[in-house]
Amino acid sequence: MKLRLFLCLLLAATTAAHAAEKKPPKAMRLKGDVILADDFKAEKLDEKWIFPKGEEAAKFETATGALVMDQAAAKGAVIWRAFDAPVEDASIQLLVKPWACSWIAFGFYTPGERPGAQRKINIAVTPTGVVAVRDVESQTNLKAANTRVDAAKEWQRVAFESKGDKLTVMVNDKAVIELKTELTQGPKAGILLNLYGGKGSVGEIEVKKLK
């Protein structure tokens, strides 16, 4: 009887644990042609992703199907990847979980020798679910929205669509920010992800060229 009771309790605990782990939101159906995609399920990070290296640099690795970003001894964690050719209008969709950091941000960079310095705007996601469009040069928010979700504990699917001078930010298939700004115009040479204040995860990233 004791063994049977123990097994029943173990089964109940296991079931409860799996129930608490919510599945990531489904992918949003964005229009366009895929020009970059990575689900980070490979044992090692694709060499096309570039980041500073050294003893005082941030750490990047793939684990449990995600890119784990660790600021470590660096001032921040920055990683980028170039497109095969620049595009004008495009969208980024990714899973994000800023579980132990101040924020995770992502966006496009324009052609140039220093990708980190070639950004105009990015989209920042905080552990409390605040999503903001940020002017990189002035470090100010152009517009923000509170999604009222616990982004530190649950995966959120966030998308950023840039078309002409119009940008749209979507969270879990819902538009939360619409904005017109010249900062989103022009050729886009690649994408850049950055994190500040600890550790966080990114998964299933996809970039589409808009028609």
Side-chain angles (χ1 to χ4, degrees), residues 28 169-177:
M28 291 177 266
V169 179
M170 291 157 280
V171 178
N172 302 334
D173 217 12
K174 179 182 178 181
V176 296
I177 295 176

Side-chain angles (χ1 to χ4, degrees), residues 51-168:
F51 55 91
K53 297 179 176 64
E55 292 184 2
E56 297 185 356
K59 310 298 181 184
F60 300 91
E61 63 178 0
T62 55
T64 61
L67 168 65
V68 179
M69 308 168 68
D70 181 357
Q71 181 175 323
K75 294 181 179 179
V78 181
I79 186 170
W80 62 93
R81 181 168 170 174
F83 302 146
D84 291 336
V87 297
E88 286 286 333
D89 299 326
S91 68
I92 307 172
Q93 176 177 181
L94 74 165
L95 286 172
V96 60
K97 187 191 290 186
W99 48 274
C101 64
S102 299
W103 45 258
I104 292 177
F106 64 96
F108 300 107
Y109 62 84
T110 58
E113 295 182 359
R114 296 176 58 209
Q118 301 298 132
R119 296 174 296 157
K120 297 180 180 179
I121 59 174
N122 62 22
I123 311 303
V125 183
T126 73
T128 58
V130 174
V131 179
V133 179
R134 293 182 58 80
D135 181 325
V136 173
E137 184 175 358
S138 67
Q139 290 296 299
T140 58
N141 289 347
L142 300 177
K143 199 169 184 178
N146 190 344
T147 63
R148 303 189 185 282
V149 298
D150 192 344
K153 294 183 179 179
E154 300 176 16
W155 284 105
Q156 306 302 319
R157 197 175 290 273
V158 184
F160 163 40
E161 184 177 84
S162 171
K163 190 169 187 178
D165 65 349
K166 181 182 178 181
L167 67 84
T168 304

